[in-house]
Amino acid sequence: MNGSSIPKLNSSGINIRKDLVVRYAKMMAEVGNYANEGAKIMIDNGWLENPPQSLDREELRKK
């Protein structure tokens, strides 16, 4: 049997204990909020670089 016929499930998809699924979902939301706050702090202190920007096509056309 090859692996392509096996459905891909995340950890909440294979867990039958509903209480763990709810806790896992809440924890994921908390981690997301924590990461967001960390990114804001890094931006405020200048520790996070800007994401790559697209080139200014008008400026390139002038050259």
Side-chain angles (χ1 to χ4, degrees):
M1 177 180 212
N2 63 15
S4 63
S5 63
I6 299 173
K8 296 185 187 304
L9 300 172
N10 61 18
S11 62
S12 62
I14 59 173
N15 194 341
I16 59 173
R17 286 190 51 190
K18 301 299 181 194
D19 62 325
L20 292 181
V21 173
V22 172
R23 280 187 176 197
Y24 182 71
K26 285 181 182 179
M27 188 183 345
M28 285 178 26
E30 289 177 17
V31 168
N33 289 336
Y34 182 73
N36 191 26
E37 289 298 314
K40 287 179 184 178
I41 291 169
M42 290 171 58
I43 290 169
D44 291 344
N45 289 308
W47 299 334
L48 185 66
E49 296 179 2
N50 286 332
Q53 305 292 315
S54 62
L55 298 175
D56 184 3
R57 303 252 182 230
E58 293 297 323
E59 188 65 33
L60 288 173
R61 202 176 305 168
K62 291 178 186 177
K63 291 182 180 181

